Amino acid sequence: SELFSLRGEQRFGEVTLALDIGHRNKTMRSYGSYSWGGTSTADTDVDVTTISPRLMWNTPLAGMDNRLTVGADWGDWSYTNNTLGTGGAFSLAESGNQNNRAIYFRDELRLVSGTRLSLGARRENVRQDDEDSLVPRPKESVEHHLSAHELAFQQDLISGFSAYGRIGRSFRVATIDENRCTPWMPVCVPLLKPQQSHDRELGMQWNGKGASFRAGLFNMDINNEIHYNGIDGSNMNLPPTRHRGLELEGKVAIGSTLDLAARYTRTQARFREGTYTGFDIDTFAFFSADIAGKDVPLVPKDRIGLNLGWQATIATRLTANVSYVGSQRYDNDQANLFREMPSYTVAHIKLNHDFGAWRLAAGINNLLDKAYYSYGVTNISLTPSRFNAYPEDRRNAYVSAEYRF
């Protein structure tokens, strides 16, 4: 694997010009064997080149602070994979390319009334080509013309309080790797559609001496959400979904050396409409289920995080973290026919010490040696009865050393 990056920046009075250039090459050779007797040997090569110039202009506008950023993103991806399969595993000879061309701007304006406004937009053209010569997937070429935008405000009130809001539209395009076939799929699925989201957020926050607090409500209507299919190892577009909920977070200093931070998120993620079709491996028959109003798999209803920090000395800090993740639906249970995954709580501890240009660290993950899993997938059936779970690591410790120059 090779990674090269170059960044430059030059200031001309109120204008700053910057340029980022990056290149990554990754070559892999892997071998796999399967319970049914098949094997696969894969040679994979990935090349990614990115160029991102931008201009930043800080200048007063009618006596108000204003910051404008204008830029472009250019990227080229290439992917090749040659897999030799035996037994029940399929052979593949894949090649793919992806070209991204984007322009964007973002303007931030601070009014004298204590109002901060920001407006941004992005226009991107994406071209994807994919071909596999050894499975029934003809060469595909698609081109997407995508737009994103955001309008946000923050209004100072009294006694450290402020209100904020944001509306916007965003998108995510599947990468070449997300679009590729897998060695056990006899037919490759079509290239994924871009995921697009309409977002809204509204909240209040407070900043005081040694303390802060924020409360916010959010709503995201997502079309073509990109989701990993744990049954066959491919990726898929989900029917329309809606994620909405409440976020609470706060931080307080306890004396001069202790600080406590907490975060709580309550999320309701449901399908807005759609039908789920599957092949029941128990009855060897297709079935279809209406999933409108059903929970989206793998989205916990509740998340709680507590973080306690102790600044023992200027150079030494001890941090303890406790995380709670509530119940969620198993993967592959879009129709909500199976029970929910159990909630879990884990704790971690970490010690950092700075010594000149060195940073030394030691820590313990899963301090209480909790047996739990964060991912599980159930079988396809109108009456699911089995699931596979992937256990997380039990208690483990680590040490590290970092040198900064």
Side-chain angles (χ1 to χ4, degrees):
S1 179
E2 298 175 339
L3 176 64
F4 302 97
S5 62
L6 177 66
R7 185 177 190 277
E9 187 175 295
Q10 180 63 53
R11 186 171 181 176
F12 302 94
E14 298 175 337
V15 176
T16 301
L17 299 178
L19 176 66
D20 292 324
I21 300 175
H23 178 77
R24 176 171 63 91
N25 173 263
K26 187 174 183 180
T27 302
M28 298 174 290
R29 183 175 178 83
S30 61
Y31 173 81
S33 61
Y34 309 104
S35 59
W36 59 81
T39 65
S40 65
T41 302
D43 290 299
T44 305
D45 185 79
V46 180
D47 274 289
V48 182
T49 301
T50 58
I51 301 176
S52 299
R54 60 190 177 278
L55 177 150
M56 295 161 283
W57 183 26
N58 290 314
T59 185
L61 181 64
M64 298 175 288
D65 292 337
N66 191 69
R67 177 186 176 90
L68 173 66
T69 302
V70 179
D73 290 324
W74 178 91
D76 276 350
W77 294 54
S78 67
Y79 178 96
T80 59
N81 171 57
N82 292 293
T83 298
L84 176 63
T86 65
F90 292 89
S91 295
L92 300 172
E94 296 178 278
S95 64
N97 294 281
Q98 180 170 313
N99 309 115
N100 298 63
R101 306 289 186 266
I103 57 173
Y104 65 89
F105 82 91
R106 181 179 179 85
D107 190 74
E108 302 175 45
L109 178 66
R110 186 183 181 100
L111 283 66
V112 293
S113 60
T115 303
R116 289 179 289 277
L117 298 174
S118 65
L119 173 65
R122 181 183 182 91
R123 178 67 175 178
E124 184 163 354
N125 292 341
V126 181
R127 180 179 176 84
Q128 296 174 316
D129 301 290
D130 189 272
E131 183 176 15
D132 193 304
S133 60
L134 299 182
V135 296
R137 183 181 193 173
K139 182 175 181 179
E140 280 193 82
S141 296
V142 296
E143 189 166 351
H144 303 291
H145 305 278
L146 302 165
S147 297
H149 59 264
E150 180 185 76
L151 174 62
F153 80 93
Q154 182 174 341
Q155 176 62 56
D156 292 338
L157 302 174
I158 58 173
S159 304
F161 284 92
S162 63
Y164 71 90
R166 182 181 70 88
I167 58 173
R169 177 179 177 179
S170 60
F171 61 83
R172 186 172 86 82
V173 179
T175 65
I176 292 177
D177 193 53
E178 288 173 314
N179 267 313
R180 66 178 297 262
C181 295
T182 53
W184 50 86
M185 292 174 61
V187 179
C188 292
V189 297
L191 295 177
L192 295 169
K193 298 177 181 178
Q195 173 180 308
Q196 300 191 57
S197 177
H198 294 266
D199 309 327
R200 297 182 293 276
E201 185 177 0
L202 188 66
M204 295 279 294
Q205 59 187 30
W206 172 79
N207 286 286
K209 186 177 181 180
S212 62
F213 176 77
R214 183 183 71 87
L217 298 171
F218 64 89
N219 185 95
M220 298 181 295
D221 288 342
I222 306 176
N223 294 323
N224 298 314
E225 184 173 344
I226 298 173
H227 175 76
Y228 174 74
N229 187 331
I231 295 295
D232 61 20
S234 68
N235 291 283
M236 59 186 292
N237 290 119
L238 292 178
T241 62
R242 173 172 292 142
H243 299 242
R244 56 171 46 167
L246 166 70
E247 289 183 332
L248 301 174
E249 61 179 0
K251 184 175 182 180
V252 61
I254 306 173
S256 59
T257 60
L258 289 176
D259 57 83
L260 176 66
R263 182 185 180 96
Y264 170 70
T265 305
R266 173 71 175 182
T267 303
Q268 180 193 78
R270 291 179 175 169
F271 291 100
R272 288 155 33 216
E273 58 181 82
T275 301
Y276 176 69
T277 301
F279 182 77
D280 192 325
I281 59 176
D282 295 323
T283 63
F284 283 88
F286 286 97
F287 71 92
S288 183
D290 182 5
I291 59 175
K294 302 294 186 179
D295 294 333
V296 178
L298 301 179
V299 181
K301 294 180 174 64
D302 297 284
R303 284 183 178 270
I304 301 175
L306 297 175
N307 196 83
L308 179 64
W310 176 39
Q311 197 70 41
T313 68
I314 295 177
T316 306
R317 181 174 176 83
L318 180 67
T319 304
N321 172 267
V322 178
S323 298
Y324 167 82
V325 178
S327 60
Q328 55 189 303
R329 293 288 178 179
Y330 283 86
D331 198 5
N332 197 50
D333 187 23
Q334 285 91 336
N336 298 176
L337 300 173
F338 197 50
R339 64 178 182 269
E340 295 184 338
M341 290 173 52
S343 60
Y344 57 88
T345 303
V346 289
H348 314 287
I349 192 168
K350 182 178 181 180
L351 177 67
N352 285 330
H353 178 73
D354 292 334
F355 181 71
W358 287 93
R359 167 164 288 188
L360 308 178
I364 301 175
N365 294 321
N366 198 355
L367 182 64
L368 303 179
D369 199 27
K370 177 77 171 180
Y372 73 102
Y373 59 92
S374 61
Y375 178 82
V377 56
T378 187
N379 60 307
I380 302 176
S381 175
L382 275 171
T383 56
S385 58
R386 303 184 302 276
F387 70 92
N388 291 335
Y390 298 82
E392 297 290 345
D393 291 335
R394 302 295 292 266
R395 182 190 298 124
N396 61 90
Y398 65 92
V399 295
S400 67
E402 177 186 352
Y403 183 78
R404 289 164 292 176
F405 57 88

